């Protein structure tokens, strides 16, 4: 099935003031399409967390979003340092974020598990020095 | 409870969206850690926080939070007010501490809805 809407967003590195722009844009699109508010909230949270990860850890990257009749697919990727131990990174409370990020109110080690919790399908691929790729699927019905 | 009643209770100052004082708030959350707001808050439409940066507004937007109260006398920057106006989010501030502001509102009937820790 072909997608109704396809978008690509640049996620700039270390620019905290812009983090969330892409998610905000997707949120607007979904609202315009009349998507159920609970689905919009889940999508917003999952994508915003993924976007923040790219800003904080990934040295910037991209997000590709495709909206189909029955689902939303979000692919967020960066070419940053990657994740050494994915199982550990998924653990709530585990974080490698620096103090500067914690002072901004983030980096509590809740992000990845929160993406998983809000997604219907969640795939995380990463290797040290090979970047990180996050695939999120959320069904509309 | 309407926002204007909340403003009275916490002796608050209104920074944005002055036309939205009729919004009804039933539940709220209080946190300085936005990570936790996103992971634990559920169906809350107001956030009390001591953290002052634009990501507070972004977090509020993603979480469908309609009003943010900055506690401990903290004030939002003009950049934050601009972003909040654009998103239609009410920004308030109070000199009360987090504990007291939450306590006053809880006593007045505002509930907290969150995911319980496992």
């Amino acid at each position: 099935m072909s997608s109704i809407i396809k978008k690509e967003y640049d996620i700039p590195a270390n620019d905290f003031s812009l983090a969330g722009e892409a998610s905000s844009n997707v949120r607007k699109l979904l609202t315009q399409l009349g998507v159920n508010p609970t689905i919009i909230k889940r999508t917003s949270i999952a994508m915003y967390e993924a976007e923040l990860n790219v800003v904080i850890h990934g040295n910037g990257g991209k997000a590709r979003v495709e909206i189909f009749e029955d689902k939303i697919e979000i692919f967020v990727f960066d070419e940053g340092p990657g994740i050494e131990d994915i199982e550990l990174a998924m653990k709530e409370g585990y974080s490698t974020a620096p103090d500067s990020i914690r002072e901004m109110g983030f980096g509590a080690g809740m992000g990845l598990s929160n993406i998983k919790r809000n997604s219907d399908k969640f795939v995380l691929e990463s290797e040290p020095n090979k970047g990180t790729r996050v695939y999120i699927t959320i069904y509309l019905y | 409870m309407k926002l204007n009643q909340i403003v009275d209770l916490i002796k608050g100052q209104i920074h944005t969206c002055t036309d939205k004082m009729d919004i009804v708030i039933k539940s709220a959350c209080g946190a300085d850690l936005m990570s936790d707001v996103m992971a634990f808050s559920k169906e809350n439409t107001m956030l009390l926080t001591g953290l002052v940066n634009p990501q507070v507004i972004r977090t509020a937007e993603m979480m469908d939070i309609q009003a943010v109260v900055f506690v401990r006398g903290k004030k939002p920057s003009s950049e934050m007010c601009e972003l909040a106006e654009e998103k239609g989010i009410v920004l308030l501030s109070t000199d009360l501490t987090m504990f007291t502001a939450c306590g006053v509102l809880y006593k007045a009937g505002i509930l907290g809805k969150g995911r319980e820790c496992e």
Side-chain angles (χ1 to χ4, degrees):
Chain A
M1 201 190 291
S2 62
S3 56
I4 306 172
I5 293 174
K6 206 172 180 174
K7 290 267 181 189
E8 185 170 299
Y9 302 94
D10 276 319
I11 305 172
N14 299 318
D15 191 346
F16 233 78
S17 63
L18 287 178
E21 265 304 311
S23 310
S24 177
N25 201 292
V26 169
R27 193 183 161 80
K28 263 183 224 150
L29 274 175
L30 296 175
T31 308
Q32 281 162 8
L33 289 170
V35 172
N36 172 313
T38 311
I39 304 279
I40 297 180
K41 188 169 172 182
R42 281 173 54 209
T43 308
S44 304
I45 295 172
M47 186 169 168
Y48 183 46
E49 293 274 22
E51 203 182 336
L52 281 167
N53 279 346
V54 170
V55 175
I56 298 168
H57 303 283
N59 302 328
K62 281 184 196 298
R64 284 189 194 134
V65 178
E66 279 197 75
I67 303 169
F68 296 84
E69 268 180 39
D70 60 336
K71 64 182 173 182
I72 306 158
E73 283 186 353
I74 302 167
F75 174 39
V76 181
F77 58 101
D78 64 60
E79 287 171 10
I83 301 169
E84 208 159 311
D85 186 338
I86 292 180
E87 204 181 318
L88 186 61
M90 287 299 302
K91 241 175 115 177
E92 288 198 342
Y94 177 81
S95 175
T96 57
D99 285 348
S100 59
I101 296 300
R102 292 171 197 253
E103 280 160 20
M104 301 286 290
F106 296 93
M110 305 301 289
L112 288 174
S113 55
N114 206 19
I115 298 174
K116 191 177 177 185
R117 190 178 312 117
N118 284 287
S119 309
D120 290 311
K121 271 191 208 168
F122 167 78
V123 177
L124 173 67
E125 292 174 356
S126 186
E127 264 180 76
N129 305 316
K130 287 187 179 167
T132 300
R133 294 163 298 284
V134 172
Y135 302 86
I136 297 162
T137 305
I138 293 170
Y139 293 109
L140 291 171
Y141 304 102
Chain B
M1 184 185 299
K2 284 188 179 176
L3 268 182
N4 53 19
Q5 292 171 278
I6 289 175
V7 171
D8 285 347
L9 280 171
I10 60 171
K11 297 178 189 74
Q13 193 182 331
I14 307 162
H15 298 275
T16 62
C17 304
T18 44
D19 56 323
K20 291 196 169 177
M21 290 303 115
D22 279 344
I23 288 179
V24 174
I25 303 290
K26 290 181 180 163
S27 62
C29 58
D32 287 350
L33 205 48
M34 295 303 109
S35 293
D36 280 354
V37 173
M38 292 209 287
F40 291 100
S41 177
K42 280 170 120 182
E43 302 159 35
N44 294 310
T45 50
M46 190 165 81
L47 164 69
L48 292 96
T49 186
L51 187 73
V52 185
N53 68 46
Q55 292 309 318
V56 174
I57 318 293
R58 299 271 186 207
T59 303
E61 180 193 7
M62 304 306 163
M63 297 300 294
D64 295 329
I65 286 169
Q66 294 176 292
V68 178
V69 180
F70 297 100
V71 297
R72 304 191 285 270
K74 303 196 178 196
K75 303 277 189 294
S77 66
S78 54
E79 180 197 7
M80 288 168 67
C81 289
E82 219 171 282
L83 188 63
E85 282 284 359
E86 187 193 315
K87 312 280 182 201
I89 295 169
V90 179
L91 299 187
L92 307 173
S93 64
T94 175
D95 286 339
L96 300 180
T97 62
M98 174 76 98
F99 184 82
T100 308
C102 291
V104 165
L105 296 179
Y106 193 85
K107 201 175 152 192
I110 304 280
L111 301 172
K113 285 188 183 169
R115 177 172 72 97
E116 299 298 324
C117 301
E118 280 116 30

